[in-house]
Amino acid sequence: MYPFDYHRPASVKDAATQANDDALFLAGGQTLIPTLKQRLRQAATLIDLGAIPELRGIVLNGKTLTIGAMTSHAEVAASPDVRNAIPALADLAGKIGDPQVRNCGTLGGSIANNDPAADYPAALVALGATVHTNTRSLKAEDFFTGMFETALGVGELVVKVDFPLAKRAAFAKFRNPASRYAIAAVFVAETDAGVRVAVIGAGPGVFRVPEMESALAKTFSAAALSGIAVSADGLNEDMHATADYRAHLIGVMAARAVASLT
Amino acid sequence: MTKVSITVNGTAQAADLDPRTLLVDFLRDHLRLTGTHVGCDTSQCGACTVHLDGRAVKACTLLAAQVDGKAVTTIEGIAKDGVLHPMQAAFREHHGLQCGFCTPGMVMTAIAMAKDSAGEPLTEAKIREELEGNLCRCTGYQNIVRAIAAGAAAMKAG
Ligand SMILES: Cc1cc2nc3c(=O)[nH]c(=O)nc-3n(C[C@H](O)[C@H](O)[C@H](O)COP(=O)(O)OP(=O)(O)OC[C@H]3O[C@@H](n4cnc5c(N)ncnc54)[C@H](O)[C@@H]3O)c2cc1C
Ligand code: FES
Ligand code: FES
């Protein structure tokens, strides 16, 4: 690690004030600390968000589930409110990495990092979630802008995420057994806004599959998906899987998610 | 430098640290608690697992500064009055180790999983799933899984 100054503000306001273009927010550290160690990233200042109470917590209010940015994956997976309101979200959080990673890693850190294989972006896009930062509110699809990229500006931090409740939703993940990250994973959700199918792991970032969405809107069954081929164009190709294989997996995972709901 | 005060195995420890100091380096180099091992240093192997306010975490992937004001328990802190913790005793009884390098992390993860699953039965499948963050290069895991089942039962029996 290159040297840095360390700050631990007690409020969102102080965190934002301390930020600048040579500072990084530190959440659970499960991505940031390994990348600092490898000197893939560096910053003059780390701003630890761990002592800010307003970034924590899970609140169920009518048709919206709100989760604070610093809420850990383990807290989401174990929360009775999440398990009742959106069981697929608890399921997703409980499949991230391993228990130690889930005890530290946070919702805010995961979406701010926007790793192409991060799981949460699939849930945010499929459920039509809204990301609240300290300065504005963004639809999930506008928040995730590209590989490891988001709409967040300098001094802007994720405060919380609002998830509309789903009539039904499921997450199916094909994991790389060594890294525990997805090779391809699909989140299928039916909300008041309709059916959405969001994919992570397979492409440079989270994306939807409109053909599957319209087929499921007509008939919500795994059979309705048969015959829909996802193009391998632009999908990731690496030592773990070819683009063709990932395209195939999207169909299989989508069908599994839907089958688990019917 | 950053001032930290951390309760380690029940004792308050205060230090003025380079902010880059990892929790595992604070434990090993500053407090000489070398039972917590560094296997990979890349957040994969779990040899560095300790408890932070009772939950299993990888001490190589946390800054000491991040745990300021919190309580950490290491492998050195679980035996009482010279008597092994039931999970340690189970690892010995069931040969849950060969070289022993992964063992401190395995035992700390095992204790956390036994406590977490207080309600539901700790099946073999569940134990294997909960061990995803701990790698062992020697044993092939069979005896580790057996030891954890026995250790968890012993903890329950009190
Ligand atoms: C072994 C291992 C396996 C893993 N497997 C998976 C997996 O299967 N699926 C998965 O999705 N993830 C996985 N992860 C990643 C894990 O979920 C991380 O916790 C997550 O990606 C980052 O969250 P964090 O809280 O640790 O953030 P940090 O590492 O602290 O931060 C990550 C980035 O987000 C920024 N940031 C953090 N919080 C905020 C905020 N509130 N506002 C603005 N910016 C912020 C930081 O500046 C940094 O750039 C794995 C990690 C490890 C080590
Ligand atoms: S040394 Fe920490 S996970 Fe391997
Ligand atoms: S006993 Fe040697 S690494 Fe596990």
Side-chain angles (χ1 to χ4, degrees), chain A residues 172-243:
Chain A
K173 175 175 178 181
F174 191 87
R175 305 198 328 166
N176 175 321
S179 78
R180 271 95 71 196
Y181 276 98
I183 291 179
V186 179
F187 200 103
V188 178
E190 185 177 6
T191 63
D192 288 345
V195 180
R196 284 190 174 193
V197 177
V199 178
I200 56 97
V206 57
F207 64 91
R208 289 168 63 183
V209 189
E211 301 86 343
M212 289 185 175
E213 294 179 355
S214 42
L216 291 171
K218 280 194 209 103
T219 322
F220 198 89
S221 75
L225 296 176
S226 67
I228 299 177
V230 176
S231 164
D233 280 354
L235 295 191
N236 302 340
E237 176 131 354
D238 54 29
M239 66 196 235
H240 305 300
T242 61

Side-chain angles (χ1 to χ4, degrees), chain A residues 1-252:
Chain A
M1 280 185 266
Y2 293 105
F4 51 78
D5 290 330
Y6 173 86
H7 295 296
R8 197 174 161 82
S11 72
V12 169
K13 209 168 147 254
D14 288 350
T17 318
Q18 288 165 1
N20 57 56
D21 58 12
D22 202 5
L24 284 169
F25 294 120
L26 173 64
Q30 301 302 288
T31 296
L32 186 54
I33 292 176
T35 45
L36 290 173
K37 281 194 203 173
Q38 293 167 68
R39 295 190 166 181
L40 292 170
R41 294 184 82 177
Q42 68 178 102
T45 309
L46 282 202
I47 303 167
D48 186 350
L49 304 177
I52 306 179
E54 60 203 287
L55 293 179
R56 288 184 184 275
I58 299 172
V59 178
L60 180 59
N61 192 348
K63 299 202 83 179
T64 308
L65 179 71
T66 304
I67 305 182
M70 286 298 290
T71 312
S72 72
H73 308 329
E75 286 167 316
V76 172
S79 157
D81 275 342
V82 183
R83 289 166 82 135
N84 287 331
I86 313 178
L89 192 61
D91 179 46
L92 175 149
K95 284 182 181 153
I96 293 175
D98 54 54
Q100 292 96 317
V101 167
R102 293 195 289 274
N103 281 335
C104 295
T106 66
L107 169 63
S110 175
I111 65 171
N113 193 52
N114 196 17
D115 188 309
D119 295 308
Y120 268 124
L124 268 73
V125 168
L127 291 163
T130 304
V131 180
H132 299 280
T133 76
N134 53 325
T135 58
R136 56 188 169 149
S137 301
L138 288 151
K139 286 277 155 214
E141 277 171 290
D142 301 326
F143 179 83
F144 300 113
T145 51
M147 193 162 174
F148 292 108
E149 276 175 19
T150 67
L152 289 171
V154 173
E156 189 174 12
L157 63 140
V158 177
V159 173
K160 61 184 179 181
V161 178
D162 281 343
F163 295 92
L165 301 199
K167 289 177 200 149
R168 46 188 166 180
F171 182 61
K173 175 175 178 181
F174 191 87
R175 305 198 328 166
N176 175 321
S179 78
R180 271 95 71 196
Y181 276 98
I183 291 179
V186 179
F187 200 103
V188 178
E190 185 177 6
T191 63
D192 288 345
V195 180
R196 284 190 174 193
V197 177
V199 178
I200 56 97
V206 57
F207 64 91
R208 289 168 63 183
V209 189
E211 301 86 343
M212 289 185 175
E213 294 179 355
S214 42
L216 291 171
K218 280 194 209 103
T219 322
F220 198 89
S221 75
L225 296 176
S226 67
I228 299 177
V230 176
S231 164
D233 280 354
L235 295 191
N236 302 340
E237 176 131 354
D238 54 29
M239 66 196 235
H240 305 300
T242 61
D244 282 335
Y245 183 54
R246 283 194 162 90
H248 173 73
L249 276 180
I250 293 168
V252 176

Side-chain angles (χ1 to χ4, degrees), chain A residues 83, chain B residues 111-123 126 152-153 155-156:
Chain A
R83 289 166 82 135
Chain B
I111 293 171
M113 96 169 73
K115 284 188 179 151
D116 260 6
S117 70
E120 44 185 311
L122 204 50
T123 59
K126 181 80 183 156
M155 281 169 66
K156 218 172 176 180

Side-chain angles (χ1 to χ4, degrees), chain B residues 7 17 63 65 85 123-125 127 136 141:
Chain B
T7 303
L17 301 173
L63 301 175
H85 184 283
T123 59
E124 185 189 331
I127 293 172
C136 174
Y141 300 97

